[in-house]
Amino acid sequence: MALSTPERVSATPPQTQPAAPSKGRPRKPSVKVLEVQRSLRTRSSASRSIQNEPSASATVASEREGETNLEEVVSLIINLKETITQQTRIVANQNSIIDSFRADLAEIKSEQQGLKNQNAELQEEIRSLQAQLNTFSESLRSTGS
C-alpha cells in the first residue's frame, strides 16, 4: 500500500490587493480569525509530526486528520460567512445612523443660518432705534433750552 499525504490547506490567505485603499487605521483580525489561524497552525504541526512516522498507523491517523481538517475548514468557512453577514448588517446600520446624523446636521446648520440672519436684522433694528432715540434726545435738549 502506497503512502499518500493529504493536500495541505494554507493557514494564511493568498496576498491580494484591496479593491480600494482603506480609510483610517487598519483592521485587526477578529477573535474567530485568530482562533482559526492558531488551530490550523497547531493541527499543521501535529500533522507534520505524525507524517514523519513511517508506520501504517501514522498513515491512517494522517488520513483521519485530513478528513477532520476538511470538516473544520468547512465549519470555519460557515462561521466566517455568518460573521461577515453580521458585520455587513452592523456596517449598514452604522451607515444609516451616519446618514441620519448628516441630515440632522444639515437641518441644524440651516436653522443656525436663519438665526444668524434674524440676529443681524435685529442688530440693525437696534442701531436704527438707538439713532432715533439719540435724535429725539437731541431735539428735546434743543427745544428745552
Side-chain angles (χ1 to χ4, degrees):
M1 179 172 168
L3 295 176
S4 65
T5 58
E7 291 184 24
R8 295 183 187 207
V9 177
S10 174
T12 58
Q15 294 284 339
T16 58
Q17 291 286 19
S22 61
K23 294 180 181 177
R25 59 185 177 175
R27 289 187 170 183
K28 294 181 183 177
S30 69
V31 174
K32 284 185 179 182
V33 170
L34 294 173
E35 288 174 0
V36 168
Q37 289 174 344
R38 191 177 315 117
S39 171
L40 288 174
R41 277 191 218 113
T42 303
R43 282 176 178 65
S44 176
S45 64
S47 172
R48 280 189 219 114
S49 66
I50 290 173
Q51 289 174 357
N52 289 337
E53 297 174 11
S55 68
S57 64
T59 304
V60 172
S62 177
E63 288 175 1
R64 286 184 188 152
E65 187 173 308
E67 292 172 5
T68 303
N69 279 344
L70 182 58
E71 291 170 1
E72 288 179 7
V73 168
V74 169
S75 174
L76 292 173
I77 290 171
I78 291 169
N79 287 338
L80 288 173
K81 284 183 178 181
E82 290 173 1
T83 301
I84 290 169
T85 301
Q86 289 172 346
Q87 290 177 349
T88 301
R89 276 191 236 121
I90 290 169
V91 168
N93 185 35
Q94 289 173 343
N95 286 339
S96 173
I97 291 169
I98 289 170
D99 290 342
S100 174
F101 283 155
R102 284 183 177 150
D104 291 347
L105 181 62
E107 184 180 339
I108 289 169
K109 283 184 177 182
S110 174
E111 289 175 6
Q112 182 183 30
Q113 187 59 45
L115 290 172
K116 283 181 180 180
N117 293 341
Q118 186 180 11
N119 188 25
E121 290 171 5
L122 290 172
Q123 286 178 349
E124 183 59 35
E125 189 173 339
I126 288 170
R127 283 189 209 101
S128 172
L129 290 172
Q130 283 177 339
Q132 288 178 8
L133 182 63
N134 289 340
T135 304
F136 183 70
S137 295
E138 288 177 14
S139 69
L140 281 178
R141 276 190 229 135
S142 65
T143 55
S145 350

